[in-house]
């Protein structure tokens, strides 16, 4: 896990979403994403692991005024996690 402060990364590229009823800064991507761990056409968002506590499949998410639910959780091993979302 990286020990560097990831706050500037989220400050530069992030936006506020509601995750499980709490505001959190995320990197949101509603388009196709492909990486070593994730390949999906569902929207995804990247969160700092410090915000991951309590996130499970079915956790509600609101991004850009649209309601989603978490359908997959992919820790990336760097201290961040990709959450795959489904529109509700």
């Amino acid at each position: 896990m990286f020990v560097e402060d990831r706050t500037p990364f989220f400050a530069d590229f992030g936006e506020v979403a509601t995750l499980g009823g709490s505001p959190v800064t995320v990197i949101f991507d509603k388009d196709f994403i492909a990486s070593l761990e994730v390949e999906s056409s569902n929207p995804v968002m990247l969160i700092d692991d410090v915000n991951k506590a309590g996130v499970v499949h079915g956790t509600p998410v609101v991004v850009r005024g649209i309601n989603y639910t978490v359908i997959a959780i992919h820790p990336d091993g760097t201290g961040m996690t990709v959450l795959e979302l489904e529109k509700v």
Side-chain angles (χ1 to χ4, degrees):
M1 179 159 90
F2 292 122
V3 294
E4 290 83 14
D5 181 11
R6 293 175 294 277
T7 305
F9 175 72
F10 282 94
D12 289 344
F13 302 104
E15 60 189 278
V16 176
T18 304
L19 177 62
S22 298
V24 62
T25 302
V26 306
I27 307 294
F28 180 69
D29 187 353
K30 66 178 182 167
D31 299 319
F32 180 85
I33 185 169
S35 71
L36 294 176
E37 295 83 23
V38 180
E39 184 173 326
S40 171
S41 60
N42 287 324
V44 296
M45 67 183 198
L46 182 67
I47 63 170
D48 191 310
D49 281 355
V50 300
N51 297 314
K52 190 172 77 170
V55 175
V56 296
H57 294 175
T59 297
V61 177
V62 180
V63 184
R64 300 179 184 170
I66 299 172
N67 294 312
Y68 297 94
T69 188
V70 174
I71 60 169
I73 302 167
H74 305 278
D76 73 359
T78 69
M80 295 191 277
T81 295
V82 175
L83 299 178
E84 189 174 344
L85 308 174
E86 182 175 73
K87 193 173 177 181
V88 287

Short mmCIF file of all heavy atoms in Angstrom, two decimals, residues 48-71:
data_model
loop_
_atom_site.label_atom_id
_atom_site.label_comp_id
_atom_site.label_asym_id
_atom_site.label_seq_id
_atom_site.Cartn_x
_atom_site.Cartn_y
_atom_site.Cartn_z
N ASP A 48 -10.73 6.20 -1.72
CA ASP A 48 -9.60 5.96 -0.82
C ASP A 48 -10.06 4.91 0.19
O ASP A 48 -11.19 4.95 0.68
CB ASP A 48 -9.23 7.26 -0.12
CG ASP A 48 -7.91 7.18 0.62
OD1 ASP A 48 -7.73 6.21 1.39
OD2 ASP A 48 -7.08 8.08 0.44
N ASP A 49 -9.20 3.96 0.50
CA ASP A 49 -9.58 2.90 1.44
C ASP A 49 -9.99 3.43 2.81
O ASP A 49 -10.73 2.75 3.53
CB ASP A 49 -8.45 1.89 1.62
CG ASP A 49 -8.37 0.89 0.47
OD1 ASP A 49 -9.26 0.91 -0.42
OD2 ASP A 49 -7.43 0.09 0.46
N VAL A 50 -9.59 4.65 3.17
CA VAL A 50 -10.02 5.20 4.46
C VAL A 50 -11.53 5.42 4.47
O VAL A 50 -12.14 5.51 5.54
CB VAL A 50 -9.29 6.52 4.84
CG1 VAL A 50 -7.80 6.30 4.94
CG2 VAL A 50 -9.61 7.64 3.87
N ASN A 51 -12.16 5.47 3.28
CA ASN A 51 -13.61 5.66 3.17
C ASN A 51 -14.36 4.37 2.90
O ASN A 51 -15.55 4.38 2.68
CB ASN A 51 -13.91 6.66 2.04
CG ASN A 51 -13.34 8.02 2.33
OD1 ASN A 51 -13.47 8.54 3.43
ND2 ASN A 51 -12.67 8.59 1.35
N LYS A 52 -13.65 3.24 2.94
CA LYS A 52 -14.25 1.96 2.56
C LYS A 52 -14.98 1.25 3.71
O LYS A 52 -15.78 0.34 3.46
CB LYS A 52 -13.16 1.05 2.00
CG LYS A 52 -13.68 -0.21 1.36
CD LYS A 52 -12.59 -0.98 0.66
CE LYS A 52 -11.75 -1.71 1.66
NZ LYS A 52 -10.81 -2.67 1.05
N ALA A 53 -14.75 1.64 4.93
CA ALA A 53 -15.36 0.95 6.07
C ALA A 53 -16.88 0.91 5.91
O ALA A 53 -17.53 1.91 5.64
CB ALA A 53 -14.99 1.64 7.38
N GLY A 54 -17.43 -0.28 6.06
CA GLY A 54 -18.88 -0.45 6.00
C GLY A 54 -19.45 -0.60 4.60
O GLY A 54 -20.64 -0.83 4.45
N VAL A 55 -18.62 -0.46 3.56
CA VAL A 55 -19.12 -0.61 2.20
C VAL A 55 -19.23 -2.10 1.88
O VAL A 55 -18.27 -2.85 2.02
CB VAL A 55 -18.19 0.09 1.18
CG1 VAL A 55 -18.66 -0.18 -0.25
CG2 VAL A 55 -18.15 1.58 1.44
N VAL A 56 -20.42 -2.51 1.48
CA VAL A 56 -20.71 -3.90 1.11
C VAL A 56 -21.54 -3.89 -0.17
O VAL A 56 -22.03 -2.83 -0.59
CB VAL A 56 -21.46 -4.65 2.23
CG1 VAL A 56 -20.61 -4.76 3.49
CG2 VAL A 56 -22.78 -3.97 2.55
N HIS A 57 -21.72 -5.05 -0.76
CA HIS A 57 -22.63 -5.15 -1.91
C HIS A 57 -23.99 -4.64 -1.47
O HIS A 57 -24.49 -4.99 -0.40
CB HIS A 57 -22.75 -6.59 -2.40
CG HIS A 57 -21.47 -7.11 -2.96
ND1 HIS A 57 -21.32 -8.40 -3.36
CD2 HIS A 57 -20.28 -6.52 -3.20
CE1 HIS A 57 -20.10 -8.59 -3.83
NE2 HIS A 57 -19.44 -7.46 -3.73
N GLY A 58 -24.58 -3.76 -2.27
CA GLY A 58 -25.88 -3.20 -1.94
C GLY A 58 -25.82 -1.83 -1.27
O GLY A 58 -26.85 -1.20 -1.08
N THR A 59 -24.62 -1.38 -0.91
CA THR A 59 -24.50 -0.05 -0.30
C THR A 59 -25.01 0.99 -1.29
O THR A 59 -24.62 0.99 -2.46
CB THR A 59 -23.04 0.27 0.07
OG1 THR A 59 -22.59 -0.68 1.04
CG2 THR A 59 -22.89 1.67 0.62
N PRO A 60 -25.89 1.91 -0.86
CA PRO A 60 -26.39 2.93 -1.77
C PRO A 60 -25.35 4.02 -2.03
O PRO A 60 -24.56 4.37 -1.16
CB PRO A 60 -27.59 3.51 -1.02
CG PRO A 60 -27.34 3.21 0.42
CD PRO A 60 -26.52 1.96 0.45
N VAL A 61 -25.38 4.52 -3.27
CA VAL A 61 -24.47 5.57 -3.72
C VAL A 61 -25.28 6.58 -4.52
O VAL A 61 -26.15 6.19 -5.31
CB VAL A 61 -23.36 4.99 -4.63
CG1 VAL A 61 -22.46 6.09 -5.17
CG2 VAL A 61 -22.55 3.93 -3.90
N VAL A 62 -24.99 7.86 -4.32
CA VAL A 62 -25.58 8.90 -5.16
C VAL A 62 -24.42 9.71 -5.74
O VAL A 62 -23.60 10.25 -5.00
CB VAL A 62 -26.53 9.83 -4.37
CG1 VAL A 62 -27.11 10.90 -5.29
CG2 VAL A 62 -27.63 9.05 -3.68
N VAL A 63 -24.35 9.73 -7.07
CA VAL A 63 -23.33 10.49 -7.78
C VAL A 63 -24.02 11.31 -8.86
O VAL A 63 -24.81 10.77 -9.63
CB VAL A 63 -22.28 9.57 -8.45
CG1 VAL A 63 -21.17 10.40 -9.09
CG2 VAL A 63 -21.69 8.58 -7.48
N ARG A 64 -23.72 12.61 -8.89
CA ARG A 64 -24.30 13.51 -9.90
C ARG A 64 -25.82 13.43 -9.92
O ARG A 64 -26.46 13.52 -10.96
CB ARG A 64 -23.73 13.21 -11.27
CG ARG A 64 -22.23 13.37 -11.35
CD ARG A 64 -21.69 13.04 -12.72
NE ARG A 64 -20.24 13.11 -12.72
CZ ARG A 64 -19.48 12.70 -13.72
NH1 ARG A 64 -20.02 12.18 -14.80
NH2 ARG A 64 -18.16 12.80 -13.63
N GLY A 65 -26.40 13.20 -8.73
CA GLY A 65 -27.85 13.16 -8.59
C GLY A 65 -28.49 11.86 -9.04
O GLY A 65 -29.71 11.76 -9.09
N ILE A 66 -27.70 10.86 -9.36
CA ILE A 66 -28.23 9.57 -9.82
C ILE A 66 -27.98 8.53 -8.74
O ILE A 66 -26.89 8.46 -8.16
CB ILE A 66 -27.58 9.15 -11.15
CG1 ILE A 66 -27.88 10.20 -12.22
CG2 ILE A 66 -28.07 7.77 -11.59
CD1 ILE A 66 -27.14 9.99 -13.52
N ASN A 67 -28.99 7.70 -8.47
CA ASN A 67 -28.90 6.65 -7.46
C ASN A 67 -28.32 5.37 -8.05
O ASN A 67 -28.77 4.90 -9.10
CB ASN A 67 -30.28 6.35 -6.87
CG ASN A 67 -30.82 7.52 -6.09
OD1 ASN A 67 -30.13 8.11 -5.26
ND2 ASN A 67 -32.06 7.88 -6.36
N TYR A 68 -27.34 4.83 -7.32
CA TYR A 68 -26.70 3.58 -7.69
C TYR A 68 -26.64 2.68 -6.46
O TYR A 68 -26.88 3.12 -5.34
CB TYR A 68 -25.25 3.81 -8.16
CG TYR A 68 -25.11 4.66 -9.40
CD1 TYR A 68 -24.90 6.03 -9.30
CD2 TYR A 68 -25.17 4.08 -10.67
CE1 TYR A 68 -24.76 6.81 -10.44
CE2 TYR A 68 -25.02 4.86 -11.80
CZ TYR A 68 -24.82 6.22 -11.68
OH TYR A 68 -24.67 7.00 -12.81
N THR A 69 -26.25 1.44 -6.69
CA THR A 69 -25.94 0.53 -5.60
C THR A 69 -24.61 -0.15 -5.94
O THR A 69 -24.29 -0.35 -7.11
CB THR A 69 -27.06 -0.51 -5.38
OG1 THR A 69 -26.79 -1.25 -4.20
CG2 THR A 69 -27.23 -1.44 -6.55
N VAL A 70 -23.83 -0.47 -4.92
CA VAL A 70 -22.55 -1.15 -5.12
C VAL A 70 -22.82 -2.61 -5.46
O VAL A 70 -23.51 -3.30 -4.72
CB VAL A 70 -21.67 -1.04 -3.86
CG1 VAL A 70 -20.40 -1.88 -4.01
CG2 VAL A 70 -21.32 0.41 -3.54
N ILE A 71 -22.26 -3.07 -6.59
CA ILE A 71 -22.44 -4.48 -6.97
C ILE A 71 -21.14 -5.26 -6.93
O ILE A 71 -21.16 -6.49 -7.00
CB ILE A 71 -23.12 -4.63 -8.35
CG1 ILE A 71 -22.30 -3.97 -9.46
CG2 ILE A 71 -24.54 -4.08 -8.31
CD1 ILE A 71 -22.79 -4.32 -10.87
#
